[in-house]
Amino acid sequence: MALYYALPVPAGGVPSRVLVYCAVSASAAVAVWWGVVRHRPRPRAAWVLLGLSQAVYALADTAFYTAHYVFGQTRYPFVADVLYLAHYPLVVAGLVVLVRARRSGRDLAGLLDAASLTVVAALLSWVFVLGPQTRLGTSPLVEAASVAYPLMDLVLLLVALCLVFGSGPRGAPFVLLTGWLAAILTADTAYVLQRLAGTYEAGNFLDAVWLAGNLALGACALHPAMSGLGLPAEAPEPRLSAPRLALPSAGALVGPAVLLVEHAKGEWRDVPVIAACCAVLFALGAARLAGMAVDQRRLATTDSLTLLRSRRYFEARLADDVAAARRSGVPLGVVILDVDRFKSVNDRFGHPAGDRVLVEVADRLRAVAGPGAVLARYGGEEFAVVVTGPQAEDPSGLAERLRDGVSRRPVRLDDRTSITVTVSAGTAVFEPRHDSAQALVSAADRALYLAKGSGRDRVVAGGAVSPEDPLGGYLDQVADLVDLRLACPGRSLAIAEWARTVAGHLDLPPARVRTAGRAGRLLDVGLAVLPEELLVRPGPLTEREWELLRAHPDSGARLVAVLPEEGEVVAAIRGHHERWDGSGYPEGLAGEEIGVEARVLAVCDAWAAMRADHPYRGALSREQAVAELRAGRGTQFDPRLVDVFLDLVERGAVGDLAAGLALTRPV
């Protein structure tokens, strides 16, 4: 550039200035070609278009400066102007391809900001360039050329601003490319203004700006990092940053400022154009603010890692669904899932691998749940689903499909490592008379706790919750705690299920079937007051310890007695250790003096005790447990109930304790 200005205009037959200027201009096209061949950028089409545009631009420079310096031709417009204008569509097309490649999603915010600033530039262009040009009375050809340059610059400005406001790498090649665009727009604007004022002369300072732009494009194409300039990237998250708000806000003030200038000059010719631009700016600003509001709401209700709904959204939606279910009686359920042993994934493979696992699990859950499901990331590695409609009557079916969908195939962490990931799930069903979303989630969470404690990679169904009866929910938690202290998670859930099944086959009224199930759920809550070492001691107990242990039916009955309208449940719990022959406790009742629900519980409780491992004895085999029940007919147990129970066992209607841990019906 220094050489260009240092050389004299005449130097033999061909001015050296022409050679230097055209060589610099053409070198940019050669550099783009060389960069495409050497660095193999993607998308290649963008750089091919930019290279072609620079080649056309170099031809235009050659035609213009040769005509000006060699032949003294200064006519305007000239063939060079056709070539100059022809390079704009190629530049715009190349930039559009590049902008689209640099982002993987929509960037409406960037487009609106770019459009707002372009409208401001269009307003200024009309008032100070286009408008005055149309009023000069020049020939149509001169007027068309003078108007075409600003119009093409406005289109180029719009695309350039989309590039600046968009996402993607912003290293040295990006700076050089935007510097080239800034040089073009600046020099072109000054050129049109000089043409309008009649002061343009070839070789003035504008040549330095154009040459600097050419060199910037060439340097960008030769930079090794240019191959990554078109790499896709997520659109930047919308943030209420000061610059992004200041630019459109300042632009909105340009219209009134121009009106003041017009008023000071006593000219009102451009008022309709200014009013139209202000209206467009207002519409763009309103759209931008609306988009920000939508984006902020989306960010507040979407988990940034998994793109599922956030916990905040889940809780708000569930509260609304609970209110609707309470009014209409539509079934409603909740599934809570937790990734098994997730901490070990982070510890062994690192937190980025853990994030990949969470994203993959979320994708698999989304695929199974379907597009209409309310699926949320509830915690670190916890997920939650709101279940409505017919499947809410038994959400365990959906929970089982979700569990299977996660564990069906390994999760790939990298090209060499894959791991098997499983989830545990707890479910809860809401009853129309209930009105607490938190109680529903708590019930599902307790069931999830049991699923984790009983071996993981399974589904446990929790009961229908009653926020009107918080003590009942608390006693459910006590029952779960006792099960865990006995190293037998889900034991009370299984006994409750068996008791309901047996009571139903005795043709008892529904209320008494319900009593049997509820008493089975709470039959051992009295053990919570005993020392834990007493429950797990492998050796024989002392007489004092036996006295404490025999008191647990009465203790449990006292705990349950605080619940309203649960007198039958209290009686069943108090009597479930009475014996048919009268040798049981705590009252020594015999035969049918013992309530039928308590007699049912005695058989179910004995089956659970025999089929579970204990510190003092391993689990009995199925045949051994059947033999023990038969041995107790008429002494420990009601003979008829033993026969009914063993018949149900034989038919598979009553399972083993392990099977009872993955219940499919609420308790």
Side-chain angles (χ1 to χ4, degrees):
M1 289 168 55
L3 179 63
Y4 171 75
Y5 283 101
L7 289 172
V9 173
V14 178
S16 299
R17 277 196 172 192
V18 175
L19 296 177
V20 172
Y21 192 98
C22 294
V24 173
S25 181
S27 71
V30 175
V32 172
W33 170 81
W34 180 252
V36 170
V37 172
R38 179 164 184 170
H39 302 306
R40 300 183 181 277
R42 292 290 183 271
R44 182 178 179 136
W47 289 99
V48 170
L49 289 169
L50 293 179
L52 288 175
S53 74
Q54 187 60 29
V56 173
Y57 192 82
L59 288 175
D61 282 341
T62 302
F64 177 83
Y65 286 99
T66 300
H68 186 84
Y69 285 121
V70 177
F71 300 107
Q73 177 59 258
T74 59
R75 189 176 57 188
Y76 175 79
F78 189 58
V79 175
D81 294 295
V82 177
L83 293 173
Y84 280 131
L85 292 173
H87 103 284
Y88 282 100
L90 294 171
V91 175
V92 170
L95 291 177
V96 168
V97 174
L98 189 62
V99 169
R100 290 176 61 87
R102 284 167 58 87
R103 56 182 174 84
S104 58
R106 296 187 309 161
D107 185 14
L108 184 60
L111 179 60
L112 290 174
D113 288 345
S116 297
L117 294 181
T118 303
V119 170
V120 172
L123 171 60
L124 296 174
S125 180
W126 173 264
V127 172
F128 298 107
V129 178
L130 295 174
Q133 179 65 43
T134 58
R135 293 189 288 269
L136 287 178
T138 56
S139 67
L141 194 59
V142 172
E143 185 171 319
S146 300
V147 169
Y149 278 109
L151 289 179
M152 295 305 298
D153 281 329
L154 289 173
V155 176
L156 181 59
L157 175 64
L158 175 62
V159 181
L161 289 174
C162 287
L163 176 67
V164 172
F165 289 137
S167 59
R170 293 178 178 269
F174 178 83
V175 174
L176 292 168
L177 185 66
T178 53
W180 168 58
L181 295 172
I184 291 177
L185 293 170
T186 302
D188 283 1
T189 302
Y191 171 75
V192 172
L193 289 175
Q194 289 183 4
R195 280 287 185 184
L196 187 63
T199 59
Y200 174 74
E201 292 183 2
N204 66 9
F205 73 93
L206 292 183
D207 286 356
V209 180
W210 277 313
L211 286 174
N214 292 335
L215 293 174
L217 175 62
C220 173
L222 293 176
H223 198 288
M226 63 86 71
S227 60
L229 195 59
L231 291 178
E234 293 291 338
E237 292 292 350
R239 290 179 292 179
L240 297 176
S241 60
R244 291 294 289 266
L245 286 176
L247 284 175
S249 300
L253 300 177
V254 171
V258 172
L259 280 177
L260 290 176
V261 172
E262 294 270 288
H263 174 72
K265 294 167 58 178
E267 299 177 357
W268 302 99
R269 288 189 296 259
D270 298 317
V271 171
V273 176
I274 298 172
C277 288
C278 288
V280 173
L281 284 173
F282 177 81
L284 291 173
R288 181 70 167 96
L289 291 176
M292 282 184 176
V294 171
D295 287 335
Q296 294 301 319
R297 183 179 184 277
R298 177 182 59 81
L299 290 174
T301 60
T302 303
D303 176 63
S304 60
L305 177 64
T306 63
L307 301 184
L308 298 178
R309 293 295 190 180
S310 65
R311 177 168 181 166
R312 178 185 299 180
Y313 178 88
F314 173 82
E315 291 176 341
R317 173 63 182 269
L318 184 60
D320 292 340
D321 287 342
V322 164
R326 189 169 185 271
R327 290 192 305 268
S328 62
V330 175
L332 175 65
V334 165
V335 179
I336 306 292
L337 307 103
D338 185 89
V339 180
D340 295 328
R341 299 181 176 88
F342 181 71
K343 184 177 183 299
S344 65
V345 176
N346 282 334
D347 292 343
R348 183 178 178 186
F349 301 103
H351 289 279
D355 289 346
R356 284 194 291 274
V357 168
L358 292 177
V359 171
E360 181 63 24
V361 169
D363 290 342
R364 296 182 184 186
L365 293 176
R366 187 187 293 111
V368 175
V374 180
L375 178 61
R377 185 182 179 192
Y378 193 68
E381 65 269 19
E382 282 190 336
F383 301 88
V385 187
V386 178
V387 187
T388 56
Q391 65 178 348
E393 298 176 357
D394 181 14
S396 297
L398 173 61
E400 185 62 34
R401 293 195 301 275
L402 293 169
R403 184 200 64 78
D404 180 68
V406 171
S407 61
R408 180 166 295 180
R409 65 183 188 277
V411 174
R412 181 177 294 276
L413 300 182
D414 53 43
D415 294 338
R416 297 178 297 175
T417 308
S418 296
I419 61 173
T420 298
V421 176
T422 63
V423 295
S424 300
T427 71
V429 178
F430 191 82
E431 293 181 350
R433 64 188 178 88
H434 302 147
D435 60 1
S436 171
Q438 183 56 47
L440 181 61
V441 172
S442 296
D445 213 29
R446 290 197 303 272
L448 170 63
Y449 183 62
L450 289 174
K452 302 285 281 188
S454 57
R456 299 180 177 86
D457 192 20
R458 64 189 62 205
V459 175
V460 170
V465 298
S466 176
E468 298 168 359
D469 182 16
L471 289 176
Y474 172 74
L475 289 179
D476 286 342
Q477 296 181 52
V478 173
D480 295 336
L481 176 62
V482 170
D483 290 344
L484 292 174
R485 291 175 67 182
L486 294 172
C488 194
R491 177 178 182 275
S492 61
L493 288 170
I495 292 175
E497 178 71 8
W498 302 338
R500 253 198 320 269
T501 302
V502 174
H505 280 75
L506 294 176
D507 294 327
L508 296 179
R512 303 193 73 175
V513 173
R514 182 261 175 197
T515 296
R518 189 62 180 152
R521 179 75 167 104
L522 303 176
L523 85 167
D524 281 333
V525 293
L527 294 174
V529 301
L530 299 180
E532 185 172 355
E533 58 271 15
L534 178 63
L535 301 179
V536 297
R537 177 175 296 178
L541 302 180
T542 66
E543 186 58 34
R544 174 57 181 163
E545 289 170 339
W546 270 114
E547 289 180 7
L548 292 174
L549 190 61
R550 291 190 186 101
H552 89 269
D554 189 64
S555 299
R558 291 176 183 272
L559 288 173
V560 179
V562 301
L563 301 178
E565 301 179 0
E566 294 288 12
E568 293 83 359
V569 174
V570 172
I573 292 174
R574 186 187 300 275
H576 81 278
H577 274 297
E578 302 286 359
R579 296 170 64 102
W580 183 258
D581 62 5
S583 62
Y585 58 87
E587 298 181 17
L589 301 178
E592 294 191 358
E593 292 178 341
I594 308 168
V596 65
E597 295 93 339
R599 284 179 272 149
V600 169
L601 289 183
V603 177
C604 296
D605 184 30
W607 181 261
M610 291 185 290
R611 296 292 290 139
D613 286 318
H614 300 279
Y616 53 86
R617 175 185 52 76
L620 300 183
S621 68
R622 185 168 180 152
E623 293 74 15
Q624 289 173 323
V626 169
E628 288 289 330
L629 282 183
R630 285 177 177 159
R633 291 179 77 257
T635 55
Q636 183 175 353
F637 309 114
D638 182 340
R640 184 169 70 97
L641 292 184
V642 171
D643 295 339
V644 171
F645 187 87
L646 292 180
D647 180 62
L648 293 172
V649 170
E650 184 67 25
R651 290 191 290 163
V654 172
D656 288 329
L657 185 62
L661 298 181
L663 303 178
T664 57
R665 288 190 291 169
V667 175

